[in-house]
Amino acid sequence: MISEFRRQHSWLVILACCGWLVPSTLSLTSPIAAPIVSPSVVFIGGLGYCGGRIARSIREAYPDCIIVGSVRSKERRAELLSNQGEGRDLAYNDVYVLDLDDEYTGLNNAGQASLASATHIIQTVAPIADHNQDPLLALHGDLLRQRKGVNPLCWVGYLSSTGVYGDHHGAWVTEDESSELRCVDAKSLARIEAEWQWRQLEKASGQGIRVDCFRCGGIYGPGRGPLFSTVNDLRLSSDSSLLDQTPKYVNRILVDDIAGAMLAAMSSDRPLHNGRVYNLVDDNPAPRRDVILEARKLRGLVDGSDANDNGAAATFTGRSRPPTRSTGNKRCCNQRLKDEYGWKLTAPTYKEGLAFLYEQEYVFRGSA
């Protein structure tokens, strides 16, 4: 099934590789009203950093909702379902292993039954490395397209990346055809194909399934981002990209705002639209240097040194910043998501986001 899909749709990757326009919206037909159904069974593909936060937000908003999801290993499943980990298990009714490593069989029978009964699906798992396809559709696409469960599938939210736009030399990009998808890296090209696959589900299923693709900016939040980096990673002289005279603009998004967007979208009655794309980003794309300077200020690091105001070495929990890949210089507009779903940001800019995290005391501030 996987190789057949790649053969039929290899043209999509070829167009993107050549830098030609890949439309963000498929040809449109007259909008059809989507059924209004409150989430009763939600399946989250990938209960990782984003998926876990989304699950907890859904639990807060819909206490009686059944929430299930997938992880990559038995060990991770046991961790999430244990009584440890700050009560994270309370967010899930059950967790299933999505086997993408060994036998490549995907979900077991119980997991497939849960997927088949979901009223709402949120997919956070990246395309399969070996096949550059969305794993749920590659392994369980027929189940979704031909499902005859008790519950109707009303909505799917797919988390993609703004990396699909590639480099626009700092220009603003939107979700419509005026902004080309210029990415050339394999990971982003696979995202384009996965978006296309999910949007086809709305167009071709005939079941009234509304599908939204969300292109996320750089994700940060508790435990992730400059507030949680080591002091060495915040030395302005240690990263040549921070000293570059030409600013590279990047949008970011607080993980709580991703969860807020999912809540706004999943309970909406927006008409079917052959799969819709949204930029899930903040209001203020900014160079990384600006964000690092703000983090240094919050953490009490004096400009040009790595000491706090009292002269003591600042110590923080966190890990070294992993190597990053270039996703292009661009500024992404988020107006469509605000207009169509009434989405409101907790962190309109990186400054509010960093201040929010600091005030929540997610950061260990070290000795004074």
Side-chain angles (χ1 to χ4, degrees):
M1 177 178 67
I2 292 173
S3 59
E4 176 64 16
F5 189 98
R6 286 174 59 79
R7 183 186 67 79
Q8 292 179 3
H9 302 296
S10 58
W11 59 270
L12 180 65
V13 176
I14 293 173
L15 287 176
C17 284
C18 294
W20 296 343
L21 177 66
V22 180
S24 294
T25 9
L26 301 175
S27 58
L28 304 179
T29 58
S30 299
I32 301 173
I36 305 174
V37 178
S38 295
S40 58
V41 182
V42 178
F43 186 99
I44 301 176
L47 290 170
Y49 188 77
C50 285
R53 183 67 190 93
I54 291 168
R56 290 189 287 277
S57 294
I58 295 173
R59 176 64 73 219
E60 292 169 6
Y62 300 97
D64 297 327
C65 180
I66 297 173
I67 303 173
V68 297
S70 68
V71 293
R72 291 290 294 270
S73 68
K74 295 178 180 178
E75 293 75 17
R76 179 62 174 159
R77 178 179 187 271
E79 178 186 351
L80 290 183
L81 292 179
S82 71
N83 293 324
Q84 319 224 348
E86 302 178 358
R88 284 176 295 178
D89 56 304
L90 299 178
Y92 321 115
N93 294 85
D94 210 340
V95 178
Y96 305 98
V97 176
L98 181 63
D99 181 3
L100 303 179
D101 297 313
D102 299 324
E103 299 299 323
Y104 219 76
T105 54
L107 298 166
N108 62 16
N109 289 338
Q112 292 183 51
S114 290
L115 182 64
S117 66
T119 58
H120 297 70
I121 294 173
I122 298 171
Q123 170 63 321
T124 75
V125 182
I128 302 170
D130 292 342
H131 300 280
N132 294 329
Q133 287 194 63
D134 181 87
L136 283 182
L137 286 178
L139 298 170
H140 304 302
D142 289 343
L143 181 152
L144 294 175
R145 286 183 287 267
Q146 304 169 13
R147 50 177 278 162
K148 300 177 181 178
V150 175
N151 300 322
L153 176 58
C154 302
W155 176 79
V156 173
Y158 175 66
L159 296 192
S160 184
S161 167
T162 57
V164 300
Y165 290 111
D167 191 3
H168 283 254
H169 308 291
W172 283 93
V173 296
T174 62
E175 303 92 336
D176 59 27
E177 292 90 341
S178 64
S179 297
E180 296 181 45
L181 304 184
R182 299 176 179 174
C183 63
V184 294
D185 63 290
K187 189 172 183 179
S188 295
L189 291 171
R191 288 285 194 189
I192 293 175
E193 187 164 351
E195 286 183 9
W196 187 88
Q197 293 172 38
W198 279 112
R199 293 164 70 193
Q200 285 295 298
L201 181 66
E202 175 175 318
K203 182 179 179 181
S205 69
Q207 300 180 48
I209 302 171
R210 181 163 49 89
V211 176
D212 292 329
C213 294
F214 299 93
R215 292 172 179 165
C216 299
I219 301 168
Y220 70 102
R224 177 181 292 190
L227 282 181
F228 305 89
S229 299
T230 63
V231 171
N232 185 61
D233 283 332
L234 297 184
R235 287 188 179 126
L236 297 182
S237 61
S238 66
D239 190 336
S240 61
S241 67
L242 298 179
L243 304 176
D244 192 341
Q245 296 301 310
T246 303
K248 175 186 173 184
Y249 290 96
V250 177
N251 284 89
R252 295 161 182 84
I253 187 68
L254 182 68
V255 67
D256 297 68
D257 283 327
I258 294 178
M262 297 303 102
L263 287 174
M266 69 195 307
S267 56
S268 172
D269 61 347
R270 185 183 67 74
L272 301 179
H273 218 282
N274 286 339
R276 195 72 158 156
V277 176
Y278 299 92
N279 288 334
L280 183 42
V281 298
D282 62 2
D283 294 341
N284 183 28
R288 181 168 175 263
R289 178 185 175 88
D290 294 356
V291 182
I292 293 299
L293 286 172
E294 184 69 15
R296 286 176 64 89
K297 182 174 72 175
L298 286 171
R299 289 174 53 161
L301 295 175
V302 181
D303 287 347
S305 73
D306 296 307
N308 61 23
D309 290 334
N310 296 319
T315 57
F316 301 88
T317 58
R319 54 188 176 185
S320 295
R321 180 172 176 264
T324 58
R325 61 186 179 88
S326 175
T327 57
N329 181 9
K330 58 190 172 293
R331 290 180 279 185
C332 302
C333 177
N334 60 17
Q335 196 60 44
R336 175 184 285 183
L337 186 53
K338 292 178 179 178
D339 290 345
E340 297 191 6
Y341 283 134
W343 177 58
K344 298 185 183 302
L345 286 148
T346 298
T349 78
Y350 67 88
K351 290 186 177 181
E352 288 92 347
L354 294 179
F356 170 79
L357 294 173
Y358 196 77
E359 290 166 3
Q360 294 294 315
E361 296 190 329
Y362 287 133
V363 178
F364 172 70
R365 305 179 185 183
S367 58

